[in-house]
Amino acid sequence: MLPFNKCPVCGGEITVKRVEKIIKGGNHTATVAINAEVCLHCGERLYSKETIEIFEQIRAKLENNQVNDFREAGKSYLVQTS
Ligand SMILES: [Zn+2]
């Protein structure tokens, strides 16, 4: 099931963790809670092909304002710094 046995960055051990990924599309931002493989050594997150497809679908919905089935969770802010 795991697409990776070892971390491709550092060779560390991989475990499955519930993580939050921020997805941006158009002016919208969504926080997606999803299972990902995470390196125990360097913290690198490895997403499966299926997970990346889910991210792309969510990004497309955000870009097209198809946000009716997403639950609102606070506002998002953009902070510009030099
Ligand atoms: Zn690693």
Side-chain angles (χ1 to χ4, degrees):
M1 183 61 209
L2 290 178
F4 303 97
N5 296 318
K6 296 256 181 234
C7 174
V9 176
C10 75
E13 204 178 323
I14 302 291
T15 189
V16 174
K17 271 193 191 171
R18 195 80 171 158
V19 300
E20 288 187 347
K21 164 86 172 167
I22 309 282
I23 308 260
K24 289 183 182 149
N27 292 320
H28 301 300
T29 306
T31 303
V32 182
I34 198 155
N35 289 334
E37 278 88 41
V38 180
C39 175
L40 291 171
H41 183 69
C42 74
E44 179 79 4
R45 290 179 181 184
L46 308 163
Y47 299 113
S48 66
K49 195 166 154 278
E50 291 76 17
T51 300
I52 288 165
E53 281 170 10
I54 291 168
F55 291 160
E56 290 306 317
Q57 286 165 14
I58 293 168
R59 181 175 291 121
K61 282 189 173 182
L62 292 172
E63 280 173 358
N64 297 316
N65 263 314
Q66 296 170 333
V67 294
N68 290 338
D69 51 344
F70 297 157
R71 182 171 60 86
E72 260 190 62
K75 292 181 178 175
S76 81
Y77 301 93
L78 177 64
V79 180
Q80 303 266 22
T81 65
S82 60

